[in-house]
Amino acid sequence: MSHAPRGWPLVARNVVGMGVPGMSPERRTPMSRFPVAGLLLALFALNAHAETFTVTRTDDPVPNGCAPNDCSLREAVQAALNASPTVAHVVHLPGGAHTITRGTLPAIDRLLRIQGVGMTAIDLDSDDETLLEVIGPNGHLTIARLGLDSTDDSNFNYIVTVGEGAQLSMREVYVGSGLHAAPGSAVDIRDSELSRRFRSSGTLLIQDSAFFLLEQLPVPAGPAPTAVLRRVHVDRAFNPGLYPNGVHVDQGEVLIEGSTLTGVYVRLEGDQP
């Protein structure tokens, strides 16, 4: 597998963790006012806790449950999705090269975090066009501290797709293949490197990261797409063979703050202010 060079200079390297949105303490209703409801909620909280499913093998066998010492990534993701849907379970990936050979992993339709040990410490390769699919309205996937790639080196491959109403967060992730976000999606990427094209029709934030190409596509109906690019490095060196449109806007608004564009330019066309 060939990667574009990793380690582009990023403005900030502090990883911002993702928590499950909750109600602030000052707005919570004292349980003493509703003793029965409070008791039920307390019992539910005891039974609904986040679990960690650790991947212990790097291949992709026929799924047969996630055993403590025999659990593939596919099996870990499925086990996490089968657990309580009200909390964000964690799939933990140890270091090394993990290869997915049985197509797209189970669709993410709830809170889930896939956690590695470092952007350059884990290579997660897929022989399929799409490795991870996040679907709405409740799918919310956080990917942290690992590398994603595909054996298909096409710039039109989407190793992660985010459906309408779904959410994706990335922290310290290297992506060697494309990303696609549908209308109505929300994507938050920080401290990461994207070496292939990213097509977005939803709400997007890229911060303290480096990437090659963002294409903001038009939406037939509904809110226009928006993007905030904050302290990013857009660099053609990721893929010098393609046209130098670092940011290509067909519709909507793009705000660029404190960023550097190297060998690329911003192209505006279609329906945008």
Side-chain angles (χ1 to χ4, degrees):
M1 176 187 67
S2 62
H3 280 311
R6 304 187 189 184
W8 292 91
L10 305 181
V11 175
R13 300 301 301 171
N14 294 324
V15 180
V16 181
M18 291 299 297
V20 180
M23 187 177 295
S24 59
E26 61 271 15
R27 296 185 61 188
R28 292 174 185 157
T29 301
M31 289 298 179
S32 58
R33 294 177 57 187
F34 301 98
V36 176
L39 177 61
L40 291 175
L41 287 172
L43 290 174
F44 181 78
L46 288 174
N47 292 313
H49 60 278
E51 298 183 55
T52 297
F53 301 87
T54 300
V55 176
T56 59
R57 55 189 301 170
T58 60
D59 57 348
D60 191 17
V62 176
N64 190 31
C66 181
N69 296 309
D70 185 10
C71 186
S72 68
L73 175 60
R74 185 179 304 277
E75 291 167 333
V77 169
Q78 188 61 68
L81 294 176
N82 290 341
S84 170
T86 59
V87 292
H89 301 294
V90 177
V91 170
H92 174 69
L93 273 170
H98 299 256
T99 303
I100 306 302
T101 56
R102 296 184 179 276
T104 306
L105 294 174
I108 311 301
D109 62 355
R110 61 196 65 189
L111 285 166
L112 180 66
R113 183 183 184 96
I114 299 178
Q115 174 78 42
V117 295
M119 191 192 307
T120 60
I122 296 178
D123 282 327
L124 182 55
D125 285 285
S126 171
D127 65 353
D128 195 80
E129 180 175 317
T130 300
L131 173 65
L132 291 163
E133 180 184 17
V134 192
I135 59 176
N138 299 316
H140 186 170
L141 173 64
T142 297
I143 307 173
R145 307 194 69 201
L146 53 83
L148 298 172
D149 210 343
S150 171
T151 54
D152 185 341
D153 206 31
S154 169
N155 279 285
F156 294 93
N157 242 8
Y158 303 120
I159 197 164
V160 181
T161 63
V162 188
E164 183 176 357
Q167 300 179 61
L168 171 68
S169 301
M170 285 186 172
R171 300 293 185 268
E172 276 198 290
V173 178
Y174 172 83
V175 184
S177 192
L179 301 174
H180 185 275
S185 63
V187 177
D188 183 331
I189 298 174
R190 308 188 192 202
D191 301 287
S192 298
E193 298 178 14
L194 316 176
S195 70
R196 292 292 186 268
R197 102 178 43 225
F198 182 5
R199 288 187 159 182
S200 174
S201 299
T203 300
L204 171 65
L205 168 66
I206 304 179
Q207 179 171 304
D208 300 319
S209 299
F211 68 90
F212 157 64
L213 171 62
L214 168 65
E215 292 182 329
Q216 186 161 284
L217 304 178
V219 176
T226 61
V228 175
L229 310 178
R230 183 175 295 131
R231 300 187 300 274
V232 300
H233 183 193
V234 188
D235 199 330
R236 194 183 182 191
F238 272 129
N239 203 332
L242 287 186
Y243 50 85
N245 295 348
V247 181
H248 187 160
V249 184
D250 276 328
Q251 185 188 49
E253 298 181 354
V254 174
L255 174 64
I256 303 176
E257 297 179 338
S259 300
T260 302
L261 280 68
T262 304
V264 296
Y265 58 83
V266 177
R267 179 175 179 179
L268 305 177
E269 63 181 356
D271 178 21
Q272 82 285 318

